[in-house]
Structure formats: C-alpha cells, structure tokens
Amino acid sequence: MEIDLLTINTWKCDGDYYNRRKVLAAGLRQMSLTDRVIFCQECFQTIDGEVDTLRYLSDELNVPGYFAPARRKLRSLDGSTTDCFSGLGILTNLPVSDRTTIELPSSPADGGRVAQLLTLELTPGKSMLVVNVHLTHLRNQELRIRQMTSVLQEISASSARYRIIGGDLNAEENSTEIQLLKERGPVLYSASHWVDHLLIIRPAAEPYPQITGSETVLDQPDAENGLYPSDHFGVHAHLLVPD
C-alpha cells in the first residue's frame, strides 16, 4: 500500500489570507494525491467557526478534515481584531478509528501547544498512528525536547503497528533536538525542509515501512497573483506500507 504524506504550516491568517488559502488548495489539488495524510499546522479558525482554514481545504479537496483547537488569542484578520485559534489539522481519506489531543509542556511566553493524534485503519488488523505537532518557536531547546519527549511517551502507549510524526518542529534537521528525536524514536526514515519534518518511527519488528521518495512542494508563487501558499514550504513523501 502506498500513502502520500505531506506537512504544511498554513500560516494562520497572516498575509493575504483569503487569496493565499485559494493558492494552497489549488497547489494541493494539482498534486493528485491518492491515499493521503496531510499534516497542517497554524490552522486558523475564528471562535464562531465562520472562517476556518482546515474546513476550507477539506471542502476544496473533498477530503475529511480533523481539527484540534490550540493557541487561542486575538489576531488581525483583514485589519480587524479577531478571537481565534491557531490549531492543528489533519486531512485524510483513510478510515479513522481513534482521535485524541494531548497538551504539551509550555511556557507563559508560548502556551497552548498540543499534539494531535489520529489512529488510521489501513487494513483489518493493521493500524497506523499519525501525530501532528507544532513545537515552540521560542529559542528554548530544552522546552522543545520536553515537548518531543511527551509526544514519544504518548506514541509508546499506542498499539498501532506503524507510527508517524509530521509537522513544524521549529528545529532544523541537524539540530540537537531533531537528532535526539531520531535517536529516541528511533526514526527509521525522515524527510525534511527547514523546520518541517516527516518522521517514520521504527516498528518493533519487521517488515518495516519505507519512504520511497520525498520532495519539497508548495514552494512556487502563484502564476496569477505572485502569492506563496504560506511562509513555509511543504514536505511531501511517498510511504510504502508492507502488505
């Protein structure tokens, strides 16, 4: 079984929000993904639910979306102060058997961080846990390590055969945090660009899944308006799951 994995930080309501999200949806449609898991961070949603990045993408792509609210605060949308979330979201057309959200260690300067976990049923008796994360942006290596440790502890309690972490870890591939995560995971395969990563945690026994190819995506401006989908580029990987 082949699964498309993709992670993209959707950049809240910043920039030319309404046009940006159109560009993002168009870019995702052009990729013609099949069985897919799309990890989204900084998913903007107003408290009244009237403006909702993940719901918009779900509707445009005709793929179910699962939202985890986080980091509620006042933000500016088109010049108006808006009470809203900057949450996490996963878009997937694979069956979901369980979903949960865990709070991560935080600091007064950057609270409300969570991890989003979905268990997907690939075939009868074969499940995959996908974990969507957005770690602290603060220059606080210790806090990111504590957040990653919390995620790994939660993953270790899962009975899922396969386990994947995707998201914005606010740490580059050669950083101490990422190297420590790869060691503790342990990580079998990874695909990265800047601070955005897809990480395949090694199962307890073979046969192992594998990444057969990866690329940076959503990295070009729109031909008509010159907008980029986000201030981040996306990371796309092809996952081959053993039969």
Side-chain angles (χ1 to χ4, degrees):
M1 180 178 188
E2 293 187 4
I3 300 173
D4 286 294
L5 305 175
L6 191 148
T7 183
I8 179 68
N9 183 313
T10 64
W11 199 26
K12 305 185 292 292
C13 56
D14 292 340
D16 189 349
Y17 170 71
Y18 291 105
N19 283 321
R20 275 200 312 101
R21 70 179 190 176
K22 289 180 182 178
V23 173
L24 175 56
L28 290 170
R29 280 197 303 270
Q30 289 171 5
M31 293 180 66
S32 300
L33 306 178
T34 52
D35 288 328
R36 73 198 77 173
V37 181
I38 303 175
F39 302 82
C40 301
Q41 304 85 48
E42 292 193 355
C43 295
F44 179 76
Q45 184 193 78
T46 54
I47 294 302
D48 61 11
E50 288 298 312
V51 185
D52 186 330
T53 298
L54 192 75
R55 187 181 68 217
Y56 174 82
L57 294 175
S58 176
D59 291 344
E60 289 292 310
L61 300 174
N62 194 28
V63 175
Y66 302 85
F67 181 67
R71 303 179 68 209
R72 180 177 178 177
K73 64 185 290 187
L74 297 177
R75 297 181 173 88
S76 178
L77 173 64
D78 272 1
S80 298
T81 300
T82 306
D83 190 3
C84 60
F85 293 110
S86 173
L88 299 172
I90 295 176
L91 297 161
T92 183
N93 59 336
L94 296 169
V96 175
S97 61
D98 188 52
R99 53 189 293 200
T100 189
T101 301
I102 62 168
E103 293 186 7
L104 298 182
S106 61
S107 75
D110 183 35
R113 297 282 178 175
V114 302
Q116 178 188 24
L117 296 85
L118 264 61
T119 301
L120 310 179
E121 298 302 322
L122 305 183
T123 58
K126 184 182 293 184
S127 58
M128 181 170 74
L129 178 70
V130 294
V131 185
N132 190 16
V133 296
H134 185 193
L135 303 186
T136 182
H137 67 282
L138 300 177
R139 293 184 179 180
N140 189 331
Q141 186 180 85
E142 180 184 354
L143 179 56
R144 269 191 294 279
I145 290 173
R146 288 170 54 211
Q147 290 174 340
M148 289 191 299
T149 299
S150 293
V151 170
L152 290 174
Q153 288 174 343
E154 192 71 19
I155 285 176
S156 67
S158 171
S159 60
R161 167 69 181 173
Y162 305 117
R163 295 160 292 170
I164 295 171
I165 300 173
D168 176 357
L169 276 63
N170 271 308
E172 296 186 39
E173 187 174 10
N174 61 355
S175 67
T176 299
E177 301 99 302
I178 298 302
Q179 295 308 309
L180 189 62
L181 175 57
K182 288 183 175 181
E183 178 183 320
R184 290 183 180 178
V187 170
L188 181 64
Y189 292 98
S190 65
S192 305
H193 179 270
W194 190 34
V195 297
D196 303 289
H197 306 266
L198 294 166
L199 303 146
I200 314 303
I201 304 299
R202 189 176 69 196
E206 297 187 68
Y208 295 154
Q210 59 179 309
I211 288 180
T212 59
S214 63
E215 59 185 338
T216 301
V217 295
L218 305 170
D219 57 347
Q220 297 298 317
D222 183 73
E224 292 185 5
N225 56 31
L227 292 174
Y228 285 87
S230 173
D231 63 335
H232 287 236
F233 296 157
V235 179
H236 173 223
H238 300 278
L239 180 70
L240 179 62
V241 177
D243 294 330

